[in-house]
Short mmCIF file of all heavy atoms in Angstrom, two decimals:
data_model
loop_
_atom_site.label_atom_id
_atom_site.label_comp_id
_atom_site.label_asym_id
_atom_site.label_seq_id
_atom_site.Cartn_x
_atom_site.Cartn_y
_atom_site.Cartn_z
N MET A 886 -11.75 3.28 17.78
CA MET A 886 -11.20 2.72 16.56
C MET A 886 -9.70 2.66 16.63
O MET A 886 -9.05 3.62 17.02
CB MET A 886 -11.68 3.54 15.37
CG MET A 886 -11.39 2.86 14.01
SD MET A 886 -12.27 3.61 12.64
CE MET A 886 -11.48 5.21 12.48
N THR A 887 -9.12 1.58 16.23
CA THR A 887 -7.68 1.43 16.25
C THR A 887 -7.02 2.25 15.14
O THR A 887 -7.42 2.20 14.02
CB THR A 887 -7.30 -0.06 16.05
OG1 THR A 887 -7.99 -0.84 17.03
CG2 THR A 887 -5.83 -0.25 16.21
N ARG A 888 -6.06 3.05 15.52
CA ARG A 888 -5.29 3.84 14.55
C ARG A 888 -3.87 3.34 14.56
O ARG A 888 -3.26 3.22 15.60
CB ARG A 888 -5.33 5.32 14.85
CG ARG A 888 -6.71 5.91 14.96
CD ARG A 888 -7.53 5.71 13.69
NE ARG A 888 -6.96 6.44 12.54
CZ ARG A 888 -7.54 6.44 11.32
NH1 ARG A 888 -8.67 5.77 11.12
NH2 ARG A 888 -7.01 7.09 10.35
N LEU A 889 -3.31 3.08 13.38
CA LEU A 889 -1.99 2.55 13.25
C LEU A 889 -1.16 3.53 12.43
O LEU A 889 -1.68 4.32 11.68
CB LEU A 889 -2.04 1.19 12.52
CG LEU A 889 -2.88 0.15 13.24
CD1 LEU A 889 -3.19 -1.03 12.34
CD2 LEU A 889 -2.19 -0.35 14.53
N ALA A 890 0.17 3.41 12.54
CA ALA A 890 1.06 4.30 11.82
C ALA A 890 1.03 3.95 10.33
O ALA A 890 1.09 2.78 9.93
CB ALA A 890 2.46 4.20 12.33
N CYS A 891 0.97 4.98 9.47
CA CYS A 891 1.14 4.80 8.04
C CYS A 891 2.63 4.52 7.81
O CYS A 891 3.48 5.20 8.41
CB CYS A 891 0.71 6.05 7.28
SG CYS A 891 1.10 6.03 5.51
N PRO A 892 2.97 3.52 6.99
CA PRO A 892 4.41 3.22 6.76
C PRO A 892 5.13 4.26 5.95
O PRO A 892 6.35 4.25 5.87
CB PRO A 892 4.36 1.88 6.04
CG PRO A 892 3.01 1.79 5.42
CD PRO A 892 2.08 2.54 6.33
N ASN A 893 4.40 5.23 5.38
CA ASN A 893 4.99 6.16 4.45
C ASN A 893 5.07 7.61 4.96
O ASN A 893 5.79 8.41 4.42
CB ASN A 893 4.26 6.14 3.12
CG ASN A 893 4.95 6.94 2.02
OD1 ASN A 893 6.09 6.61 1.65
ND2 ASN A 893 4.35 7.97 1.51
N CYS A 894 4.30 7.88 5.97
CA CYS A 894 4.23 9.30 6.45
C CYS A 894 3.79 9.33 7.90
O CYS A 894 3.45 8.28 8.45
CB CYS A 894 3.28 10.10 5.52
SG CYS A 894 1.53 9.77 5.86
N PRO A 895 3.74 10.50 8.53
CA PRO A 895 3.37 10.58 9.96
C PRO A 895 1.87 10.37 10.23
O PRO A 895 1.46 10.31 11.40
CB PRO A 895 3.80 11.98 10.39
CG PRO A 895 4.72 12.46 9.32
CD PRO A 895 4.25 11.75 8.02
N ASN A 896 1.08 10.28 9.18
CA ASN A 896 -0.38 10.09 9.41
C ASN A 896 -0.68 8.70 9.99
O ASN A 896 0.19 7.82 10.04
CB ASN A 896 -1.13 10.25 8.08
CG ASN A 896 -1.10 11.65 7.58
OD1 ASN A 896 -0.86 12.58 8.33
ND2 ASN A 896 -1.31 11.79 6.27
N THR A 897 -1.90 8.52 10.37
CA THR A 897 -2.34 7.23 10.86
C THR A 897 -3.27 6.56 9.80
O THR A 897 -3.85 7.23 9.01
CB THR A 897 -3.09 7.30 12.17
OG1 THR A 897 -4.17 8.21 12.03
CG2 THR A 897 -2.19 7.81 13.27
N ARG A 898 -3.29 5.24 9.83
CA ARG A 898 -4.16 4.48 8.93
C ARG A 898 -5.12 3.68 9.81
O ARG A 898 -4.86 3.43 10.99
CB ARG A 898 -3.31 3.53 8.08
CG ARG A 898 -2.59 2.48 8.89
CD ARG A 898 -1.60 1.67 8.01
NE ARG A 898 -0.72 0.86 8.86
CZ ARG A 898 -0.98 -0.34 9.24
NH1 ARG A 898 -2.07 -0.99 8.89
NH2 ARG A 898 -0.13 -0.99 10.05
N GLY A 899 -6.23 3.30 9.21
CA GLY A 899 -7.19 2.49 9.92
C GLY A 899 -6.79 1.05 9.94
O GLY A 899 -5.96 0.60 9.14
N LYS A 900 -7.31 0.30 10.91
CA LYS A 900 -7.03 -1.16 10.95
C LYS A 900 -7.52 -1.77 9.69
O LYS A 900 -8.61 -1.47 9.22
CB LYS A 900 -7.76 -1.73 12.17
CG LYS A 900 -7.32 -3.10 12.59
CD LYS A 900 -7.91 -3.48 13.94
CE LYS A 900 -7.32 -4.75 14.45
NZ LYS A 900 -7.90 -5.92 13.75
N GLY A 901 -6.71 -2.63 9.07
CA GLY A 901 -7.08 -3.29 7.83
C GLY A 901 -6.72 -2.47 6.62
O GLY A 901 -6.92 -2.94 5.50
N GLN A 902 -6.16 -1.27 6.81
CA GLN A 902 -5.69 -0.49 5.66
C GLN A 902 -4.17 -0.52 5.63
O GLN A 902 -3.54 -0.49 6.67
CB GLN A 902 -6.20 1.00 5.79
CG GLN A 902 -7.70 1.11 5.74
CD GLN A 902 -8.15 2.54 5.98
OE1 GLN A 902 -7.57 3.24 6.81
NE2 GLN A 902 -9.19 2.95 5.27
N TYR A 903 -3.62 -0.54 4.42
CA TYR A 903 -2.18 -0.62 4.30
C TYR A 903 -1.49 0.71 4.49
O TYR A 903 -0.38 0.83 4.92
CB TYR A 903 -1.79 -1.19 2.93
CG TYR A 903 -2.16 -2.62 2.70
CD1 TYR A 903 -2.46 -3.10 1.42
CD2 TYR A 903 -2.26 -3.53 3.74
CE1 TYR A 903 -2.78 -4.42 1.22
CE2 TYR A 903 -2.59 -4.85 3.55
CZ TYR A 903 -2.82 -5.31 2.26
OH TYR A 903 -3.15 -6.63 2.05
N LEU A 904 -2.22 1.81 4.05
CA LEU A 904 -1.65 3.12 4.10
C LEU A 904 -2.72 4.11 4.62
O LEU A 904 -3.90 3.73 4.68
CB LEU A 904 -1.22 3.60 2.69
CG LEU A 904 -0.14 2.77 1.95
CD1 LEU A 904 -0.05 3.21 0.50
CD2 LEU A 904 1.19 2.90 2.68
N CYS A 905 -2.32 5.33 4.96
CA CYS A 905 -3.33 6.32 5.27
C CYS A 905 -4.10 6.74 4.01
O CYS A 905 -3.69 6.40 2.90
CB CYS A 905 -2.66 7.57 5.93
SG CYS A 905 -1.72 8.59 4.74
N GLN A 906 -5.16 7.44 4.18
CA GLN A 906 -6.01 7.77 3.03
C GLN A 906 -5.22 8.60 1.99
O GLN A 906 -5.36 8.41 0.79
CB GLN A 906 -7.22 8.65 3.50
CG GLN A 906 -8.23 7.84 4.29
CD GLN A 906 -9.02 6.88 3.40
OE1 GLN A 906 -9.12 7.06 2.19
NE2 GLN A 906 -9.53 5.81 4.00
N THR A 907 -4.37 9.52 2.45
CA THR A 907 -3.60 10.35 1.54
C THR A 907 -2.65 9.53 0.67
O THR A 907 -2.63 9.68 -0.54
CB THR A 907 -2.80 11.39 2.32
OG1 THR A 907 -3.71 12.20 3.12
CG2 THR A 907 -2.04 12.34 1.41
N CYS A 908 -1.87 8.62 1.33
CA CYS A 908 -0.91 7.84 0.61
C CYS A 908 -1.63 6.86 -0.30
O CYS A 908 -1.19 6.60 -1.44
CB CYS A 908 0.00 7.13 1.57
SG CYS A 908 1.10 8.24 2.46
N TRP A 909 -2.70 6.25 0.18
CA TRP A 909 -3.45 5.29 -0.65
C TRP A 909 -3.90 5.94 -1.91
O TRP A 909 -3.85 5.38 -3.00
CB TRP A 909 -4.64 4.78 0.19
CG TRP A 909 -5.44 3.70 -0.49
CD1 TRP A 909 -6.68 3.84 -1.02
CD2 TRP A 909 -5.03 2.34 -0.70
NE1 TRP A 909 -7.09 2.62 -1.54
CE2 TRP A 909 -6.13 1.69 -1.38
CE3 TRP A 909 -3.87 1.62 -0.42
CZ2 TRP A 909 -6.04 0.36 -1.76
CZ3 TRP A 909 -3.83 0.28 -0.79
CH2 TRP A 909 -4.91 -0.36 -1.43
N GLY A 910 -4.36 7.20 -1.79
CA GLY A 910 -4.87 7.91 -2.97
C GLY A 910 -3.77 8.30 -3.98
O GLY A 910 -4.05 8.63 -5.11
N ARG A 911 -2.46 8.19 -3.54
CA ARG A 911 -1.38 8.52 -4.46
C ARG A 911 -0.91 7.30 -5.22
O ARG A 911 -0.14 7.43 -6.16
CB ARG A 911 -0.24 9.17 -3.68
CG ARG A 911 -0.57 10.59 -3.23
CD ARG A 911 0.42 11.08 -2.23
NE ARG A 911 1.80 11.09 -2.71
CZ ARG A 911 2.88 11.21 -1.95
NH1 ARG A 911 2.74 11.36 -0.65
NH2 ARG A 911 4.06 11.23 -2.51
N LEU A 912 -1.29 6.13 -4.82
CA LEU A 912 -0.95 4.94 -5.58
C LEU A 912 -1.69 4.95 -6.92
O LEU A 912 -2.70 5.63 -7.08
CB LEU A 912 -1.36 3.67 -4.83
CG LEU A 912 -0.61 3.37 -3.54
CD1 LEU A 912 -1.26 2.20 -2.81
CD2 LEU A 912 0.83 3.06 -3.76
N THR A 913 -1.16 4.18 -7.87
CA THR A 913 -1.89 4.08 -9.15
C THR A 913 -3.18 3.26 -8.92
O THR A 913 -3.25 2.45 -8.05
CB THR A 913 -1.03 3.38 -10.20
OG1 THR A 913 -0.80 2.01 -9.83
CG2 THR A 913 0.27 4.11 -10.43
N PRO A 914 -4.19 3.49 -9.77
CA PRO A 914 -5.40 2.68 -9.66
C PRO A 914 -5.15 1.18 -9.72
O PRO A 914 -5.77 0.39 -9.03
CB PRO A 914 -6.24 3.15 -10.86
CG PRO A 914 -5.80 4.54 -11.12
CD PRO A 914 -4.31 4.52 -10.81
N LEU A 915 -4.17 0.79 -10.59
CA LEU A 915 -3.84 -0.64 -10.70
C LEU A 915 -3.26 -1.14 -9.39
O LEU A 915 -3.62 -2.22 -8.91
CB LEU A 915 -2.87 -0.86 -11.87
CG LEU A 915 -2.37 -2.28 -12.03
CD1 LEU A 915 -3.53 -3.25 -12.30
CD2 LEU A 915 -1.35 -2.40 -13.14
N ALA A 916 -2.32 -0.39 -8.82
CA ALA A 916 -1.73 -0.86 -7.57
C ALA A 916 -2.78 -0.94 -6.46
O ALA A 916 -2.81 -1.91 -5.68
CB ALA A 916 -0.62 0.13 -7.13
N ARG A 917 -3.69 0.04 -6.41
CA ARG A 917 -4.74 -0.03 -5.42
C ARG A 917 -5.63 -1.26 -5.63
O ARG A 917 -5.98 -1.93 -4.66
CB ARG A 917 -5.62 1.24 -5.50
CG ARG A 917 -5.01 2.45 -4.83
CD ARG A 917 -6.08 3.49 -4.52
NE ARG A 917 -6.72 3.98 -5.70
CZ ARG A 917 -6.31 5.04 -6.39
NH1 ARG A 917 -5.25 5.71 -5.99
NH2 ARG A 917 -6.93 5.42 -7.47
N ARG A 918 -5.89 -1.55 -6.89
CA ARG A 918 -6.81 -2.67 -7.16
C ARG A 918 -6.11 -4.01 -6.75
O ARG A 918 -6.74 -4.83 -6.11
CB ARG A 918 -7.19 -2.69 -8.65
CG ARG A 918 -8.20 -3.74 -9.04
CD ARG A 918 -8.95 -3.33 -10.30
NE ARG A 918 -8.04 -3.07 -11.43
CZ ARG A 918 -7.53 -4.05 -12.18
NH1 ARG A 918 -7.81 -5.29 -11.93
NH2 ARG A 918 -6.75 -3.74 -13.21
N LEU A 919 -4.84 -4.10 -7.10
CA LEU A 919 -4.13 -5.36 -6.78
C LEU A 919 -3.96 -5.55 -5.26
O LEU A 919 -4.10 -6.61 -4.73
CB LEU A 919 -2.78 -5.39 -7.49
CG LEU A 919 -2.85 -5.50 -9.02
CD1 LEU A 919 -1.47 -5.25 -9.65
CD2 LEU A 919 -3.37 -6.85 -9.45
N LEU A 920 -3.69 -4.40 -4.57
CA LEU A 920 -3.49 -4.51 -3.16
C LEU A 920 -4.81 -4.76 -2.42
O LEU A 920 -4.80 -5.19 -1.27
CB LEU A 920 -2.86 -3.18 -2.62
CG LEU A 920 -1.39 -3.01 -2.95
CD1 LEU A 920 -0.96 -1.58 -2.71
CD2 LEU A 920 -0.53 -3.96 -2.15
N SER A 921 -5.90 -4.50 -3.07
CA SER A 921 -7.22 -4.72 -2.45
C SER A 921 -7.67 -6.16 -2.54
O SER A 921 -8.63 -6.56 -1.85
CB SER A 921 -8.27 -3.80 -3.09
OG SER A 921 -7.97 -2.47 -2.88
N VAL A 922 -7.01 -6.96 -3.36
CA VAL A 922 -7.36 -8.34 -3.53
C VAL A 922 -6.83 -9.11 -2.28
O VAL A 922 -5.64 -9.06 -1.99
CB VAL A 922 -6.76 -8.94 -4.80
CG1 VAL A 922 -7.13 -10.44 -4.86
CG2 VAL A 922 -7.30 -8.21 -6.00
N ARG A 923 -7.70 -9.75 -1.55
CA ARG A 923 -7.29 -10.51 -0.35
C ARG A 923 -7.33 -11.98 -0.67
O ARG A 923 -8.33 -12.62 -0.55
CB ARG A 923 -8.24 -10.16 0.84
CG ARG A 923 -8.28 -8.69 1.16
CD ARG A 923 -6.93 -8.14 1.50
NE ARG A 923 -6.96 -6.69 1.67
CZ ARG A 923 -7.01 -6.06 2.83
NH1 ARG A 923 -7.09 -6.74 3.94
NH2 ARG A 923 -6.98 -4.74 2.89
N ASP A 924 -6.23 -12.46 -1.19
CA ASP A 924 -6.09 -13.89 -1.46
C ASP A 924 -4.77 -14.40 -0.86
O ASP A 924 -4.15 -13.74 -0.06
CB ASP A 924 -6.17 -14.15 -2.99
CG ASP A 924 -5.04 -13.50 -3.77
OD1 ASP A 924 -4.08 -13.02 -3.14
OD2 ASP A 924 -5.14 -13.44 -5.02
N ALA A 925 -4.33 -15.58 -1.30
CA ALA A 925 -3.15 -16.19 -0.71
C ALA A 925 -1.87 -15.39 -0.98
O ALA A 925 -0.93 -15.48 -0.21
CB ALA A 925 -2.95 -17.60 -1.28
N LYS A 926 -1.92 -14.52 -1.98
CA LYS A 926 -0.71 -13.72 -2.29
C LYS A 926 -0.79 -12.31 -1.74
O LYS A 926 0.09 -11.49 -1.99
CB LYS A 926 -0.51 -13.66 -3.81
CG LYS A 926 -0.07 -14.97 -4.39
CD LYS A 926 0.29 -14.78 -5.89
CE LYS A 926 0.81 -16.09 -6.47
NZ LYS A 926 1.00 -15.97 -7.94
N ALA A 927 -1.84 -12.01 -0.97
CA ALA A 927 -2.01 -10.65 -0.45
C ALA A 927 -0.83 -10.25 0.38
O ALA A 927 -0.35 -9.08 0.32
CB ALA A 927 -3.31 -10.57 0.37
N PHE A 928 -0.30 -11.14 1.21
CA PHE A 928 0.82 -10.75 2.07
C PHE A 928 2.07 -10.48 1.24
O PHE A 928 2.83 -9.59 1.53
CB PHE A 928 1.07 -11.84 3.12
CG PHE A 928 2.09 -11.43 4.13
CD1 PHE A 928 1.81 -10.42 5.05
CD2 PHE A 928 3.31 -12.05 4.20
CE1 PHE A 928 2.73 -10.01 5.99
CE2 PHE A 928 4.29 -11.65 5.16
CZ PHE A 928 3.98 -10.65 6.08
N ALA A 929 2.28 -11.27 0.20
CA ALA A 929 3.44 -11.07 -0.69
C ALA A 929 3.33 -9.67 -1.37
O ALA A 929 4.32 -8.96 -1.48
CB ALA A 929 3.51 -12.14 -1.76
N ARG A 930 2.11 -9.26 -1.77
CA ARG A 930 1.95 -7.95 -2.37
C ARG A 930 2.19 -6.85 -1.35
O ARG A 930 2.75 -5.79 -1.67
CB ARG A 930 0.53 -7.83 -2.98
CG ARG A 930 0.39 -8.64 -4.30
CD ARG A 930 -0.93 -8.32 -5.01
NE ARG A 930 -2.07 -8.81 -4.26
CZ ARG A 930 -2.66 -10.00 -4.52
NH1 ARG A 930 -2.29 -10.74 -5.49
NH2 ARG A 930 -3.69 -10.37 -3.77
N LEU A 931 1.72 -7.08 -0.13
CA LEU A 931 1.98 -6.05 0.94
C LEU A 931 3.49 -5.90 1.14
O LEU A 931 4.01 -4.81 1.33
CB LEU A 931 1.29 -6.50 2.21
CG LEU A 931 1.53 -5.60 3.44
CD1 LEU A 931 1.05 -4.19 3.15
CD2 LEU A 931 0.80 -6.14 4.67
N ARG A 932 4.20 -7.03 1.11
CA ARG A 932 5.67 -6.92 1.24
C ARG A 932 6.33 -6.19 0.09
O ARG A 932 7.29 -5.45 0.28
CB ARG A 932 6.28 -8.33 1.39
CG ARG A 932 5.90 -8.96 2.72
CD ARG A 932 6.74 -10.19 3.01
NE ARG A 932 8.16 -9.89 2.89
CZ ARG A 932 9.14 -10.58 3.49
NH1 ARG A 932 8.79 -11.65 4.16
NH2 ARG A 932 10.38 -10.28 3.34
N GLU A 933 5.77 -6.33 -1.12
CA GLU A 933 6.27 -5.58 -2.25
C GLU A 933 6.08 -4.08 -2.01
O GLU A 933 6.97 -3.26 -2.23
CB GLU A 933 5.50 -5.94 -3.53
CG GLU A 933 5.87 -7.24 -4.17
CD GLU A 933 5.18 -7.42 -5.48
OE1 GLU A 933 5.52 -6.72 -6.42
OE2 GLU A 933 4.22 -8.23 -5.56
N LEU A 934 4.86 -3.72 -1.49
CA LEU A 934 4.58 -2.33 -1.23
C LEU A 934 5.56 -1.77 -0.17
O LEU A 934 6.16 -0.72 -0.40
CB LEU A 934 3.12 -2.22 -0.71
CG LEU A 934 2.71 -0.88 -0.18
CD1 LEU A 934 2.65 0.14 -1.30
CD2 LEU A 934 1.34 -0.96 0.54
N HIS A 935 5.73 -2.49 0.92
CA HIS A 935 6.61 -2.02 1.95
C HIS A 935 8.05 -1.93 1.49
O HIS A 935 8.80 -1.01 1.91
CB HIS A 935 6.50 -2.96 3.20
CG HIS A 935 5.23 -2.71 3.99
ND1 HIS A 935 4.83 -3.50 5.00
CD2 HIS A 935 4.28 -1.75 3.85
CE1 HIS A 935 3.69 -3.08 5.49
NE2 HIS A 935 3.31 -1.99 4.83
N GLY A 936 8.48 -2.88 0.64
CA GLY A 936 9.86 -2.85 0.17
C GLY A 936 10.10 -1.64 -0.71
O GLY A 936 11.19 -1.01 -0.63
N GLN A 937 9.12 -1.26 -1.51
CA GLN A 937 9.31 -0.09 -2.39
C GLN A 937 9.22 1.21 -1.58
O GLN A 937 9.92 2.19 -1.90
CB GLN A 937 8.29 -0.17 -3.54
CG GLN A 937 8.60 -1.31 -4.47
CD GLN A 937 7.52 -1.54 -5.53
OE1 GLN A 937 7.41 -0.73 -6.44
NE2 GLN A 937 6.77 -2.59 -5.36
N ILE A 938 8.38 1.21 -0.58
CA ILE A 938 8.36 2.40 0.33
C ILE A 938 9.69 2.53 1.02
O ILE A 938 10.22 3.67 1.13
CB ILE A 938 7.20 2.26 1.34
CG1 ILE A 938 5.83 2.50 0.64
CG2 ILE A 938 7.33 3.28 2.48
CD1 ILE A 938 4.62 2.24 1.49
N ALA A 939 10.24 1.43 1.51
CA ALA A 939 11.53 1.46 2.20
C ALA A 939 12.64 1.95 1.25
O ALA A 939 13.63 2.56 1.70
CB ALA A 939 11.86 0.07 2.74
N ALA A 940 12.46 1.72 -0.03
CA ALA A 940 13.46 2.17 -1.05
C ALA A 940 13.16 3.60 -1.50
O ALA A 940 13.81 4.05 -2.44
CB ALA A 940 13.45 1.19 -2.23
N HIS A 941 12.17 4.22 -0.86
CA HIS A 941 11.77 5.62 -1.16
C HIS A 941 11.35 5.79 -2.60
O HIS A 941 11.58 6.83 -3.20
CB HIS A 941 12.98 6.56 -0.83
CG HIS A 941 13.44 6.49 0.55
ND1 HIS A 941 12.72 6.90 1.66
CD2 HIS A 941 14.60 5.94 1.10
CE1 HIS A 941 13.37 6.68 2.76
NE2 HIS A 941 14.51 6.06 2.47
N LYS A 942 10.69 4.82 -3.11
CA LYS A 942 10.07 4.92 -4.42
C LYS A 942 8.82 5.77 -4.33
O LYS A 942 8.05 5.63 -3.39
CB LYS A 942 9.73 3.53 -4.95
CG LYS A 942 9.45 3.46 -6.48
CD LYS A 942 9.43 2.03 -6.91
CE LYS A 942 9.20 1.96 -8.37
NZ LYS A 942 9.22 0.56 -8.91
N PRO A 943 8.61 6.71 -5.27
CA PRO A 943 7.38 7.52 -5.20
C PRO A 943 6.14 6.65 -5.26
O PRO A 943 6.14 5.67 -5.99
CB PRO A 943 7.51 8.43 -6.44
CG PRO A 943 8.96 8.45 -6.77
CD PRO A 943 9.48 7.10 -6.37
N LEU A 944 5.14 7.02 -4.51
CA LEU A 944 3.93 6.15 -4.45
C LEU A 944 3.29 5.96 -5.79
O LEU A 944 2.78 4.87 -6.06
CB LEU A 944 2.91 6.80 -3.48
CG LEU A 944 3.31 6.74 -2.00
CD1 LEU A 944 2.26 7.53 -1.19
CD2 LEU A 944 3.42 5.35 -1.46
N ASP A 945 3.36 6.98 -6.64
CA ASP A 945 2.71 6.81 -7.96
C ASP A 945 3.58 6.00 -8.93
O ASP A 945 3.18 5.83 -10.07
CB ASP A 945 2.32 8.19 -8.56
CG ASP A 945 3.51 9.08 -8.79
OD1 ASP A 945 4.67 8.65 -8.52
OD2 ASP A 945 3.29 10.20 -9.25
N ARG A 946 4.73 5.55 -8.44
CA ARG A 946 5.59 4.70 -9.30
C ARG A 946 5.64 3.25 -8.78
O ARG A 946 6.32 2.40 -9.35
CB ARG A 946 6.99 5.27 -9.33
CG ARG A 946 7.08 6.68 -9.83
CD ARG A 946 7.01 6.78 -11.34
NE ARG A 946 8.16 6.10 -11.97
CZ ARG A 946 9.34 6.66 -12.14
NH1 ARG A 946 9.57 7.89 -11.74
NH2 ARG A 946 10.33 6.00 -12.73
N ILE A 947 5.00 3.03 -7.66
CA ILE A 947 5.07 1.67 -7.08
C ILE A 947 4.31 0.66 -7.97
O ILE A 947 3.19 0.94 -8.38
CB ILE A 947 4.50 1.70 -5.62
CG1 ILE A 947 5.57 2.36 -4.72
CG2 ILE A 947 4.12 0.32 -5.12
CD1 ILE A 947 5.13 2.52 -3.26
N GLU A 948 4.96 -0.45 -8.17
CA GLU A 948 4.37 -1.52 -9.02
C GLU A 948 4.18 -2.76 -8.16
O GLU A 948 5.06 -3.18 -7.44
CB GLU A 948 5.25 -1.81 -10.20
CG GLU A 948 5.40 -0.60 -11.13
CD GLU A 948 6.38 -0.84 -12.23
OE1 GLU A 948 6.95 -1.97 -12.31
OE2 GLU A 948 6.64 0.10 -13.02
N ILE A 949 3.00 -3.36 -8.29
CA ILE A 949 2.64 -4.53 -7.54
C ILE A 949 2.40 -5.69 -8.50
O ILE A 949 1.77 -5.48 -9.56
CB ILE A 949 1.36 -4.27 -6.72
CG1 ILE A 949 1.53 -3.07 -5.77
CG2 ILE A 949 0.96 -5.52 -5.93
CD1 ILE A 949 2.59 -3.19 -4.74
N SER A 950 2.91 -6.87 -8.15
CA SER A 950 2.73 -8.04 -9.02
C SER A 950 1.27 -8.48 -9.05
O SER A 950 0.56 -8.31 -8.08
CB SER A 950 3.58 -9.17 -8.51
OG SER A 950 4.93 -8.82 -8.48
N ARG A 951 0.89 -9.09 -10.13
CA ARG A 951 -0.46 -9.68 -10.19
C ARG A 951 -0.49 -11.01 -9.53
O ARG A 951 0.50 -11.69 -9.54
CB ARG A 951 -0.86 -9.83 -11.67
CG ARG A 951 -1.13 -8.53 -12.31
CD ARG A 951 -1.29 -8.69 -13.85
NE ARG A 951 -1.37 -7.39 -14.48
CZ ARG A 951 -2.49 -6.68 -14.65
NH1 ARG A 951 -3.61 -7.16 -14.22
NH2 ARG A 951 -2.43 -5.51 -15.24
ZN1 LIG B 822 0.55 8.03 4.70
#
């Protein structure tokens, strides 16, 4: 199974997952739900997530657009 680096911590994430299990669990339920939608804006939402991680925003404060 392919293991990739989590963008937020030294853990690894699975292929097709944005974060490792620990970090994913720290997002708000709303953020998790929005990030789980795979539509034309999915990549834009992923960029929002990465931008806020890069800005060192706490995971439970990250906000994703609808
Ligand atoms: Zn992580």
Side-chain angles (χ1 to χ4, degrees):
M886 189 165 70
T887 305
R888 303 302 296 182
L889 302 164
C891 173
N893 190 61
C894 77
N896 292 338
T897 56
R898 63 187 168 91
K900 195 168 187 286
Q902 296 175 323
Y903 292 152
L904 300 170
C905 72
Q906 289 290 335
T907 303
C908 292
W909 185 251
R911 287 169 58 196
L912 293 173
T913 64
L915 177 60
R917 281 200 298 270
R918 187 156 55 82
L919 292 170
L920 287 166
S921 296
V922 178
R923 302 302 172 99
D924 63 11
K926 290 186 175 173
F928 187 68
R930 286 190 291 263
L931 177 58
R932 290 194 54 159
E933 284 187 71
L934 173 67
H935 284 172
Q937 291 172 73
I938 287 173
H941 303 290
K942 195 167 181 178
L944 290 174
D945 61 0
R946 301 282 296 278
I947 285 179
E948 296 173 3
I949 304 297
S950 303
R951 288 170 189 272

